Amino acid sequence: MKRFARLFREIDGSTKTTVKVAALASYFQDAPDDDRLWTIALFSGRRPKRAITTTRLREWAAEKAGLPLWLLEECYPAVGDLAETIALLLPEPDAALDLSLTEWINRLRDLAQQPEETRKAIILDAWDKLDTTERFLFNKLITGGFRIGVSQKLMTRALSQATGKPEAELAHRLMGNWSPDDTNWHDLIESEDGSTDDSRPYPFYLAYALEDEPDALGSPEDWHAEWKWDGIRGQLILRGGEQYLWSRGEELITDTFPEFSRAKDFVPEGTVLDGEILVWNDGPEPFNALQKRLGRKTVSRKMLSDLPVVLYAYDLLELAGDDMRQRPLEDRRAKLATLFDQLPEEAPLRLSPRLPFAEWDELGDIRKTARDNRAEGLMLKRNDSPYLAGRKKGDWWKWKLAPLTIDAVMIYAQSGSGRRANLFTDFTFAVWNGNDLVPFTKAYSGLSDEEFRKITAWVRKNTQQRFGPVRQVTPEHVFEIAFEGIHASPRHKSGVALRFPRISRWRQDKPLQEANTLDDLKEMLAIYG
Amino acid sequence: MSKSQVLTFTDRGIYCPAGDFYIDPWRPVNRALITHGHADHARPGHNRYLATQAAAPILRHRLGDIQLETISYGETRNLDGAKVSFHPAGHVPGSAQIRVEVDGEIWVVSGDYKLEPDGLSEPFEPVKCHSFVTESTFGLPIFNWQAQDEVAAQINAWWRNSIANGITPMLGAYSLGKAQRLLSLLDTDIGPILSHGAVENTTAILREQGYSLPDTVLVQPDTKGAEYPDALVIAPPGALGSTWARRFGKVSTGFASGWMQMRGVRRRRSVDRGFVISDHADWDGLNRAVTETGAENVFVTHGYTDIFARWLKDRGLNAGIVSTEYEGEAAEGAEAE
Ligand SMILES: [Zn+2]
Ligand SMILES: [Zn+2]
């Protein structure tokens, strides 16, 4: 654990990417195999099965610290992280014990079989023997969520430096549903054939947002345009007689969308498709419809018939078992079109159509009709682009419509967590309905740290009432809220719900009375809902 | 609570009816008693000021031509029906707690304080009282300061390590108090200390008063970083990452504050190194201070007021929350935190 704690301190203590990557690379060179395997697992969101509930953890920590539970509960929102809160509250350790990361993890995993008394004794004993950083990491192993400023991208870069293997290959190796229990360092990272697992997806290629006008991209004929759909990105894999569907967040969502069990009736074995999952009723439905299907493990018959989904395919990554990613987009699209030629209506697969255009101006006009086509904007892809791994600049761009906006009044504030613990960052906004303010959305992001500091000082002085961590504040400040969509929602007092709401700016120029009204929102609902 | 309110809490500040004066008021008043020179406690615009002799030069520097009377630590003065005296608070050089006695009833206003002697500020003295008005900037049990020597060792090691790698260490610290405390902890055998003008002003005043501080080199408009390869730079937090800092080339930024105990705040600051050191009392310090006053009534001002007050009530004290416009370790750097 000492070695892992040192790695953590080096990463956490620096703002410089090069320092973080160097620390990781040197760790990946020196650490024992099972420790480095676990480190990759932890930093990519995998964790040992939870052996203890956080409720017990809180109780035991309060007892050990000699504090009432309510006081620990009050510290938690201030710190923003339970593992850290507990690490800071515990008394100084009275001994030291240097077990490796894996040994501590195994100790934790053995707990599942133990009676509660024993579990408690083992946890309290561990706290006695670890310093503050080690305790924080130990607690994190229990609570999960190792977000420490190391992206998958940085980790693959460091692994590449440590092993000499190319980043793209390593990114691919790290995809899929492996766990340290069913693989080892050699098989995952070093072995010659890294693709033994049929379910393993390719890393998604992600586009950057286009900030300027597309003229800067050069000649229109070098570019392929299509709609940017308002669903979720998915990778459909047909290998070994099975189908696997992956989300962009690397979640296996095969069971959520049983429609795709029929995909193999329409396209051959050894095919991997990249596309958008959308609810389809004679055309794509808005995201709101798809949302009802997300996160379900079992899907009712009614749901399947009311809200059927399709994959709107836009790229072909594997054909007849061959990796196609290095071929130019034109080529991949041509093969995709052949594959999809004359697919029957009942197939859960569609080809996301190409939008022909001759001039950038013409494309600009097409973009303006995106909302009518149930799209969020356009995707621009260079005809000769390979399918890269991760977010890369140059060949793929998303050219979204400007968001919808509304001016709203801040009425509640709550402090943030993590990087923004101790600042008020979570706000509830309202619009006017006559003389009343009707809350209609929450928004978290969009202000600078400086603005958050300013508003935090203001909230402290203008709190009218407290409800736990939430403060009701004097209605005074108007903010512009940007969002991507709006739909009717009976669960909300305002009757509407927004998609991706965020604060776009603080309207310090705008008097309270001039914020928008509920009628304005309803009008937007009628137009865009 | 008590038979007579020695002090009351008004929208101008803490007021003593018997003596007709305010303590650290935030709106202009006729007579203000000032605990220390930080901007949220010593505000401009009052008719008359009373503060310790040790605090006077800084107050004059910050507030200009004010009508200021001074008093020694421990000296008693009668202001109409109230007896007042000032006692060391250990917060920054010249800082005081203010004791007010009316008809045998004693109240103490802590201002800001810390218990650990820092070698520079007049060390904190507990003062017995019936009612204690305390700050609670760090009034959560997650705040536990390490001994000053340990933090000093971390800072000096960072200095050595930075210059060994050809990088200039640049330490951000509030210009009154924290900066001088850090100066006194630095190991001047490592190299020279360069100081930003805002820090240097205050340092020069305190040096003049006789506080023992190491030599510093003022950074002038034409100062070049390359001329001082072994130096550590000390500057107000706002100067970190500014155009002013560019002259030093590659820098490693450090920030010294009690808030650095929280990882979230450390990351938000996005400094290379956070040093946990504060001029405010930590959790144990606050509790010890309350206990040592022997007070039955405790009024909690700025900080984690509601939580600390509830904790004191659990301990059997009469505790209440007072809303003030003090800002804790915030205003000391002229930024809200
Ligand atoms: Zn202060
Ligand atoms: Zn203060």
Side-chain angles (χ1 to χ4, degrees), chain A residues 299-519:
Chain A
V299 192
S300 69
R301 199 175 286 267
K302 180 165 165 32
M303 205 147 245
L304 282 174
S305 74
D306 289 355
L307 302 164
V309 301
V310 299
L311 184 77
Y312 235 36
Y314 28 69
D315 217 322
L316 179 66
L317 311 186
E318 192 173 301
L319 181 63
D322 287 336
D323 184 350
M324 307 291 288
R325 294 176 300 158
Q326 292 313 309
R327 302 191 184 215
L329 175 71
E330 289 179 294
D331 194 8
R332 300 198 304 272
R333 283 288 301 204
K335 292 194 164 59
L336 186 64
T338 315
L339 207 60
F340 277 41
D341 191 26
Q342 297 182 356
L343 273 190
E345 187 64 18
E346 74 261 28
L349 303 168
R350 302 271 185 287
L351 182 66
S352 172
R354 176 175 194 157
L355 299 170
F357 68 102
E359 301 295 335
W360 290 120
D361 283 352
E362 187 187 344
L363 190 64
D365 290 339
I366 295 175
R367 172 169 167 265
K368 285 181 196 139
T369 66
R371 280 201 179 97
D372 305 331
N373 286 280
R374 291 272 158 80
E376 305 182 279
L378 295 171
M379 287 301 302
L380 292 171
K381 301 174 181 177
R382 202 183 281 277
N383 284 326
D384 60 2
S385 59
Y387 190 93
L388 302 174
R391 201 177 292 282
K392 299 275 154 55
K393 262 197 174 120
D395 286 344
W396 282 26
W397 299 97
K398 47 185 179 191
W399 192 25
K400 296 223 274 188
L401 285 181
L404 301 165
T405 63
I406 191 152
D407 291 329
V409 182
M410 183 175 92
I411 54 169
Y412 298 109
Q414 192 175 346
S415 52
S417 62
R419 210 171 73 85
R420 286 181 165 155
N422 210 30
L423 280 184
F424 287 96
T425 56
D426 300 5
F427 305 113
T428 301
F429 295 95
V431 283
W432 290 109
N433 185 22
N435 288 324
D436 296 334
L437 282 167
V438 185
F440 70 104
T441 193
K442 284 184 151 207
Y444 313 95
S445 58
L447 296 181
S448 65
D449 282 353
E450 180 53 40
E451 287 173 311
F452 276 127
R453 271 200 277 273
K454 225 194 229 171
I455 201 78
T456 294
W458 182 85
V459 167
R460 293 221 170 97
K461 281 188 200 159
N462 293 277
T463 299
Q464 292 185 333
Q465 227 183 321
R466 296 180 190 210
F467 311 93
V470 178
R471 295 180 181 215
Q472 183 181 357
V473 298
T474 317
E476 181 177 323
H477 289 294
V478 178
F479 291 82
E480 183 180 274
I481 307 297
F483 52 99
E484 299 302 322
I486 181 168
H487 56 87
S489 167
R491 286 189 301 120
H492 291 84
K493 207 173 180 180
S494 61
V496 301
L498 307 186
R499 177 129 199 259
F500 293 141
R502 68 258 180 206
I503 303 166
S504 59
R505 62 201 167 110
W506 185 351
R507 295 292 310 256
Q508 278 167 304
D509 55 320
K510 194 140 209 183
L512 181 63
Q513 268 61 35
E514 287 175 26
N516 281 104
T517 63
L518 191 57
D519 285 342

Side-chain angles (χ1 to χ4, degrees), chain A residues 146-284:
Chain A
F146 259 94
R147 271 181 298 272
I148 62 159
V150 175
S151 62
Q152 193 91 354
K153 200 169 170 177
L154 290 194
M155 187 161 69
T156 24
R157 193 180 302 165
L159 270 172
S160 169
Q161 284 178 15
T163 61
K165 289 187 179 290
E167 279 180 49
E169 182 198 323
L170 286 163
H172 188 201
R173 283 170 180 266
L174 297 188
M175 300 286 288
N177 57 346
W178 60 274
S179 102
D181 292 327
D182 51 42
T183 186
N184 56 52
W185 169 263
H186 175 79
D187 288 354
L188 187 72
I189 302 297
E190 294 174 329
S191 64
E192 279 314 307
D193 179 20
S195 62
T196 46
D197 173 8
D198 276 343
S199 75
R200 180 179 288 172
Y202 294 104
F204 284 89
Y205 182 9
L206 307 175
Y208 270 93
L210 188 68
E211 307 287 355
D212 304 324
E213 291 303 307
D215 310 44
L217 299 177
S219 169
E221 65 243 36
D222 295 338
W223 292 85
H224 164 101
E226 58 190 281
W227 293 119
K228 183 183 184 321
W229 298 108
D230 191 14
I232 62 166
R233 185 98 179 258
Q235 188 178 132
L236 182 64
I237 298 175
L238 303 172
R239 288 184 194 134
E242 293 289 328
Q243 88 280 354
Y244 307 92
L245 183 65
W246 289 93
S247 75
R248 213 196 81 185
E250 258 193 80
E251 238 180 304
L252 196 54
I253 48 173
T254 318
D255 297 341
T256 311
F257 300 106
E259 283 94 339
F260 298 108
S261 60
R262 285 163 41 243
K264 52 182 172 293
D265 302 341
F266 305 101
V267 283
E269 168 76 11
T271 301
V272 178
L273 301 167
D274 180 13
E276 194 91 356
I277 301 165
L278 290 165
V279 169
W280 182 278
N281 277 320
D282 299 323

Side-chain angles (χ1 to χ4, degrees), chain B residues 29-93:
Chain B
V29 300
N30 183 37
R31 182 163 217 182
L33 276 56
I34 304 296
T35 60
H36 67 290
H38 280 145
D40 56 329
H41 294 261
R43 299 188 190 239
H46 310 307
N47 274 341
R48 299 160 69 196
Y49 290 79
L50 177 64
T52 64
Q53 273 149 13
I58 292 288
L59 287 180
R60 288 214 171 85
H61 169 68
R62 295 198 152 191
L63 301 177
D65 188 18
I66 53 172
Q67 198 189 325
L68 174 62
E69 276 174 78
T70 60
I71 184 168
S72 310
Y73 285 116
E75 178 192 338
T76 303
R77 200 161 295 183
N78 290 308
L79 300 178
D80 294 336
K83 258 203 263 183
V84 302
S85 53
F86 287 55
H87 305 267
H91 175 55
V92 295

